[in-house]
Amino acid sequence: MDGILNILKPPGMTSHDVVDFIRRLLGGIKTGHTGTLDPGAAGVLPVCLGRATRVIQFLPNDKEYRVEIIFGLATSTGDTFGEVISRNSASSLTSEALEEVLRAFVGEIAQVPPMTSAVRYRGKRLYELARQGIEVHREPRQVSIYSLRLVQLYGTGTPHPRALVDVACSAGTYIRTLCADIGHLLGCGASMSFLLRTRAGIFSLEEALTLEEVEELFREGRLSGELVRLEQALEHFPAIHVRPGAVNSIKSGSPLYWPGVATAPEFLQEGQLVRLCTDRAVLAVARTVADSKRPGYYQFKPVRILA
């Protein structure tokens, strides 16, 4: 079984728990997810099966979230599971003031990964060190916030109002850090009180399956119909259609030279990633390289064999 399942991860499970559930259900098939979602968070978690695990790094990886922020409380973890490190009244917060601050975060920003993240430090995950009470220096990372939209601010006039905010961002963005930074700029502190991932790449919340639905579909023999195939998952790469005589050489990892190309897009660029395919399947993800022996032509060097 090869393809990608769009899973609705429930709160209370880790992303690894979800992968384990599906792997056991499907009899040990190779399985992997495309990006960790916090245990307390819910939402879209694409899970790759079989050959699809080979393309995780090539999938579109921008994200969208709906986050609830509580103001006036700052915690050690950036969410409400952590220890409260400051408590202030945010009773004067208005929608206008919050929207002005949100605009300041749109664009490319620097974030320091939280100690609760899965970033590696000298071979260990940061969250593993955090559990031991160890805090280490983390270098800021550049991320992109495409949009921040205030959905609703409620509880105004109380010490700890809350807001629902929709976030569209690049992969690697830490929403809890974003919430804490918003609270810092407001001067009252803030924490993430709930997180829902509404989109991951091409996968949306509306089409996500619960684990109960996955199990039922599997028992009925209908789960394969819910898989997103490799061809669809890699549609963002230009398609190079391969002549039948060149298929076996591609499967062995050899470059595809121009005589082996059946059809190709008119405009290609040096270093561009493409998908090498037949009418039935994607054979490989490849990189476009100028052909030194034939000026004006390209060859395509596989970087991941999928056939």
Side-chain angles (χ1 to χ4, degrees):
M1 188 177 289
D2 301 311
I4 307 172
L5 283 173
N6 181 3
I7 301 298
L8 175 57
K9 189 192 90 65
M13 292 182 75
T14 68
S15 300
H16 186 68
D17 290 338
V18 173
V19 168
D20 276 350
F21 175 91
I22 294 174
R23 184 186 295 119
R24 290 195 302 270
L25 179 68
L26 302 184
I29 190 172
K30 191 172 184 181
T31 310
H33 65 74
T34 66
T36 302
L37 196 54
D38 286 348
V44 174
L45 182 71
V47 175
C48 297
L49 309 177
R51 290 189 302 129
T53 58
R54 303 179 194 174
V55 303
I56 290 175
Q57 72 187 90
F58 302 111
L59 298 176
N61 55 9
D62 53 318
K63 308 287 197 303
E64 291 183 5
Y65 299 90
R66 176 161 290 186
V67 60
E68 184 185 65
I69 309 172
I70 182 170
F71 297 96
L73 293 176
T75 71
S76 58
T77 58
D79 60 18
T80 51
F81 294 103
E83 177 186 353
V84 175
I85 55 178
S86 72
R87 190 185 301 269
N88 301 288
S89 174
S91 58
S92 61
L93 182 64
T94 64
S95 297
E96 292 75 18
L98 178 54
E99 287 177 329
E100 182 178 353
V101 166
L102 293 180
R103 285 193 290 271
F105 287 90
V106 176
E108 190 172 276
I109 64 171
Q111 282 193 331
V112 176
M115 282 300 301
T116 50
S117 68
V119 172
R120 289 191 179 275
Y121 177 83
R122 296 181 179 177
K124 287 193 173 183
R125 302 287 189 183
L126 288 180
Y127 64 76
E128 295 174 334
L129 297 174
R131 289 170 185 168
Q132 302 172 34
I134 300 172
E135 183 166 350
V136 298
H137 175 74
R138 290 95 68 201
E139 292 294 333
R141 297 183 171 194
Q142 295 297 121
V143 299
S144 295
I145 307 296
Y146 306 129
S147 67
L148 281 172
R149 184 178 70 89
L150 176 62
V151 178
Q152 183 181 4
L153 175 64
Y154 48 97
T156 53
T158 66
H160 305 299
R162 298 176 184 242
L164 290 177
V165 175
D166 284 344
V167 185
C169 58
S170 63
T173 301
Y174 294 101
I175 304 300
R176 66 175 67 207
T177 299
L178 178 64
C179 295
D181 290 344
I182 289 170
H184 178 75
L185 192 57
L186 283 167
C188 61
S191 298
M192 182 180 78
S193 49
F194 186 71
L195 182 66
L196 177 67
R197 184 189 283 167
T198 56
R199 186 178 64 82
I202 65 172
F203 301 94
S204 66
L205 184 65
E206 292 77 13
E207 298 173 343
L209 299 170
T210 66
L211 294 179
E212 292 81 6
E213 288 172 329
V214 169
E215 189 168 20
E216 181 179 354
L217 287 164
F218 176 71
R219 302 300 181 199
E220 296 174 352
R222 298 190 293 121
L223 185 59
S224 61
E226 298 295 332
L227 291 174
V228 173
R229 306 294 177 184
L230 292 178
E231 293 85 350
Q232 182 180 352
L234 297 173
E235 277 186 345
H236 55 294
F237 291 146
I240 308 297
H241 287 87
V242 178
R243 296 185 187 277
V247 170
N248 286 337
S249 64
I250 292 170
K251 289 181 177 180
S252 67
S254 299
L256 172 67
Y257 296 96
W258 200 260
V261 174
T263 62
E266 185 175 354
F267 299 104
L268 292 170
Q269 296 180 347
E270 175 86 10
Q272 184 176 14
L273 290 177
V274 298
R275 52 191 163 106
L276 307 182
C277 54
T278 65
D279 291 337
R280 295 185 177 183
V282 178
L283 303 174
V285 175
R287 192 174 303 278
T288 303
V289 179
D291 192 332
S292 58
K293 295 181 180 180
R294 302 185 68 183
Y297 289 86
Y298 290 109
Q299 58 176 277
F300 306 96
K301 292 189 175 182
V303 295
R304 187 59 52 87
I305 305 299
L306 304 175

